[in-house]
């Protein structure tokens, strides 16, 4: 065991999404970073400067920092932790069947690190863990010359490097003030807002942030339902609400709801944690229910639009990843939607610019096609699930010339409804009136009535 812990050397355990992006960003900022990764293929990819995950800009940064020697992927903890002042735990905390966070990988990584780290090192938990975990790890620790802190991450897939270079905030929690300060110095510049607190609060900042954003989305989705019932337009409602700086427009985009590796897992884990303390967190239960309802509402729009039966009908799905600019299929709304459509008897043909390889094993009944025009050919209806910019820019006269039916259901309110109705299509979206086919569909209105009236400037 080396005698000296040097904060210039950072060891990151886990070359998953968070670990790899953090490693690349810290190495880019000048630290000497070692990533401990058990998976040989992942290590080889990193060593070759190639990202094993799709994240804009990551390949370029990785190849530069690997070439300069500032980032190394290593196999064992002794290679990684030797001399490191800070060891960042970035392993997964997947949900158990009960919705709890499974901490076995975190515990294992901590125990391995404790066997190797130099006296004075800080172990920073970046994995998302339930309230009290960091304190319990410190309490159960076999060494009193190592400190523990909670170091939540707020990276968004698709813009993770930017988030790392210019963090909106750096939060570090722990019971050892000096250790907290050392970890807080890792990210951001002098102007970055830093919140230093106890470890339980830091754990709840992470869960609270994700759960709040997810609840905000579920709220606007419930409002979208009311807009459909009353004839209002959710986009105007969200714009108007978002103009209040206390509310803000972000995370008020109505549609198929939240997916991904974080929101679904973290909302459930927070709700479960609250339950252990005797609290029923009703707001979160409702947010989860509304979210799963959004998928069913979308499927129902396709079903109703096709006359009440999907048996033998072909539905083309645009977009599979849980959001644009990622190939991540974890908890992607597309998975639920496609399965529902197939269970109702539809043949689904689906496309995505980058997620097809990841989607293939998850959707064995679905025909996956790279080209969107080939995807829609012969389809009775088209459903948009992920708002990739290339789908917004499709040539709609060409699309509707290739399809058999004219129905387009936009699950993200991102398409140009006028371009679709102008090409002879029927445009159905979320929380807005149907365009293009008066009276034939629930919520349909004559094109004139559906015409958007821009909000009047007040002043
Ligand atoms: C989220 C948080 O935004 C990050 O701050 C956090 O670090 C990360 O989880 C994490 O815990 O690791 P991410 O999962 O990459 O990041 O995705 P978001 O951009 O937050 O989107 C989550 C989901 O909400 C997506 O399915 C997206 O389509 C959906 N969404 C987002 C909406 O349905 N409406 C909106 O207005 C915004």
């Amino acid at each position: 065991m080396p005698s000296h812990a040097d904060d210039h050397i950072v060891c990151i355990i886990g070359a998953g999404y968070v670990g790899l992006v953090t490693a690349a960003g810290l190495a880019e900022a000048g630290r000497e970073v070692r990533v401990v990764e058990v998976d040989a293929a992942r290590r080889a990819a990193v060593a070759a400067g190639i990202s094993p995950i799709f994240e804009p800009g990551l390949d370029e940064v990785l190849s530069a920092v690997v070439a300069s020697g500032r980032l190394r992927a290593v196999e064992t903890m002794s290679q990684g932790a030797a001399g490191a002042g800070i060891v960042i735990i970035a392993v997964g905390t997947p949900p158990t069947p009960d919705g709890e966070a499974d901490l076995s990988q975190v515990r294992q990584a901590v125990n391995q690190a404790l066997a190797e780290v130099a006296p004075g090192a800080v172990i920073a938990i970046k994995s998302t863990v339930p309230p009290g975990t960091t304190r319990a790890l410190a309490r159960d620790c076999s060494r009193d010359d190592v400190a523990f802190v909670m170091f939540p991450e707020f990276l968004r897939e698709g813009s993770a490097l930017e988030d790392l270079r210019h963090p909106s905030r750096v939060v570090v929690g722990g019971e050892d003030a000096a250790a907290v300060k050392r970890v807080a110095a890792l990210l951001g510049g002098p102007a970055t807002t830093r919140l230093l607190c106890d470890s339980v609060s830091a754990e709840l900042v992470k869960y609270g942030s994700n759960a709040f954003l997810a609840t905000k989305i579920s709220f606007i989705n419930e409002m979208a339902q009311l807009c459909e019932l009353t004839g209002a337009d959710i986009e105007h409602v969200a714009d108007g609400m978002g103009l209040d700086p206390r509310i803000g427009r972000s995370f008020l985009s109505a549609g198929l709801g939240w997916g991904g590796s974080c929101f679904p897992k973290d909302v459930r884990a927070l709700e479960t944690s609250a339950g252990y303390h005797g609290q029923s967190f009703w707001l979160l239960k409702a947010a989860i229910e509304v979210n799963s309802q959004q998928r069913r509402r979308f499927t129902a729009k396709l079903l109703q639009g096709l006359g009440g039966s999907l048996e033998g009908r072909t539905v083309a799905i645009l977009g599979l990843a849980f959001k644009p600019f990622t190939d991540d299929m974890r908890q992607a709304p597309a998975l639920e939607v496609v399965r529902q459509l197939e269970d109702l008897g539809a043949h689904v043909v689906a496309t995505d610019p980058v997620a097809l390889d990841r989607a293939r094993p998850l959707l064995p009944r679905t025909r996956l096609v790279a080209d969107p025009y080939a995807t829609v050919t012969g389809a009775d209806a088209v459903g948009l699930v992920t708002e990739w910019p290339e789908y917004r820019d499709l040539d709609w006269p060409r699309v509707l010339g290739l399809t058999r039916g004219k129905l387009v259901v936009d699950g993200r309110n991102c398409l140009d409804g006028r371009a679709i109705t102008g090409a002879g299509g029927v445009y159905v979206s979320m929380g807005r009136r149907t365009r293009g086919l008066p009276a034939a569909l629930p919520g349909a209105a004559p094109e004139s009535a559906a015409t958007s009236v821009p909000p009047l400037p007040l002043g």
Side-chain angles (χ1 to χ4, degrees):
M1 190 186 300
S3 57
H4 176 62
D6 176 358
D7 285 3
H8 181 66
I9 305 173
V10 179
C11 169
I12 299 188
I13 303 173
Y17 192 84
V18 172
L20 198 57
V21 174
T22 308
L26 290 177
E28 188 185 41
R31 307 261 172 175
E32 188 186 320
V33 182
R34 298 167 197 153
V35 186
V36 181
E37 171 58 54
V38 283
D39 183 310
R42 262 181 186 252
R43 272 199 319 275
V46 175
I50 299 166
S51 168
I53 50 164
F54 177 84
E55 178 63 32
L58 188 54
D59 275 343
E60 290 78 358
V61 177
L62 266 187
S63 48
V65 293
V66 168
S68 71
R70 285 202 302 277
L71 187 141
R72 275 195 303 133
V74 298
E75 184 180 358
T76 63
M77 194 66 76
S78 56
Q79 294 166 297
I86 296 168
V87 176
I88 296 177
I89 309 286
V91 294
T93 51
T96 66
D98 295 341
E100 273 178 71
D102 178 349
L103 297 178
S104 52
Q105 292 180 54
V106 172
R107 288 207 187 90
Q108 190 187 8
V110 165
N111 286 334
Q112 287 172 352
L114 283 173
E116 302 293 344
V117 289
V122 182
I123 296 184
I125 310 294
K126 214 167 219 328
S127 307
T128 300
V129 294
T133 303
T134 308
R135 213 172 255 178
L137 289 169
R139 188 191 55 223
D140 299 342
C141 173
S142 50
R143 291 177 56 176
D144 56 11
D145 56 354
V146 176
F148 282 80
V149 301
M150 175 63 191
F151 185 27
E153 66 88 20
F154 305 108
L155 306 176
R156 291 164 300 173
E157 293 190 20
S159 53
L161 278 171
E162 259 327 282
D163 290 348
L164 199 85
R165 289 176 186 138
H166 307 288
S168 61
R169 79 272 213 209
V170 170
V171 177
V172 187
E175 283 56 53
D176 177 328
V180 166
K181 279 198 187 129
R182 282 165 61 193
V183 172
L186 276 181
L187 291 181
T192 306
T193 305
R194 290 183 166 75
L195 177 84
L196 311 184
C197 57
D198 64 282
S199 61
V200 186
S201 300
E203 287 158 346
L204 281 177
V205 168
K206 170 67 190 186
Y207 273 122
S209 300
N210 277 1
F212 185 82
L213 291 171
T215 306
K216 194 177 177 191
I217 299 167
S218 282
F219 184 87
I220 206 67
N221 280 332
E222 202 64 322
M223 289 294 289
Q225 170 75 355
L226 189 56
C227 286
E228 287 180 16
L229 296 170
T230 56
D233 183 322
I234 191 61
E235 298 304 320
H236 292 329
V237 174
D239 287 347
M241 288 170 60
L243 285 171
D244 183 332
R246 293 170 304 174
I247 297 175
R249 181 63 172 83
S250 67
F251 285 74
L252 283 185
S253 295
L256 275 155
W258 30 280
S261 64
C262 306
F263 282 9
K265 162 177 85 72
D266 293 349
V267 175
R268 252 196 107 198
L270 182 58
E271 198 251 320
T272 308
S273 279
Y276 286 155
H277 294 276
Q279 177 190 6
S280 278
F281 206 143
W282 292 110
L283 216 47
L284 296 185
K285 291 182 202 293
I288 293 167
E289 179 50 34
V290 171
N291 200 47
S292 88
Q293 228 180 180
Q294 287 310 105
R295 278 70 146 154
R296 298 196 292 271
R297 284 181 182 148
F298 177 81
T299 307
K301 283 171 191 277
L302 283 161
L303 180 67
Q304 287 169 15
L306 290 178
S309 170
L310 289 173
E311 203 61 56
R313 312 301 289 275
T314 301
V315 178
I317 292 293
L318 303 176
L320 293 167
F322 87 95
K323 67 174 190 178
F325 307 107
T326 175
D327 63 352
D328 199 337
M329 286 298 300
R330 285 176 288 178
Q331 302 291 315
L335 294 174
E336 266 178 79
V337 163
V338 170
R339 285 182 196 134
Q340 285 167 12
L341 293 170
E342 288 174 338
D343 287 349
L344 289 166
H347 303 296
V348 179
V349 187
T351 188
D352 189 281
V354 298
L356 292 184
D357 287 344
R358 289 196 191 263
R360 201 158 277 120
L362 305 170
L363 295 170
R365 290 185 280 172
T366 315
R367 195 152 73 82
L368 301 180
V369 177
D371 175 48
Y373 294 101
T375 306
V376 301
T377 300
D380 294 295
V382 177
L384 180 133
V385 172
T386 314
E387 65 277 33
W388 285 97
E390 40 269 76
Y391 301 147
R392 252 178 246 162
D393 301 336
L394 284 174
D395 173 350
W396 286 100
R398 183 176 166 202
V399 168
L400 292 162
L402 292 168
T403 54
R404 189 162 44 210
K406 298 296 167 210
L407 177 67
V408 179
V409 180
D410 178 359
R412 295 289 180 185
N413 288 358
C414 69
L415 300 175
D416 179 353
R418 281 173 202 282
I420 292 167
T421 54
V426 176
Y427 178 66
V428 178
S429 54
M430 310 291 277
R432 294 184 300 176
R433 290 172 185 229
T434 292
R435 289 173 176 274
L437 190 64
L441 287 167
E447 189 62 11
S448 57
T451 302
S452 310
V453 181
L456 293 174
L458 299 173

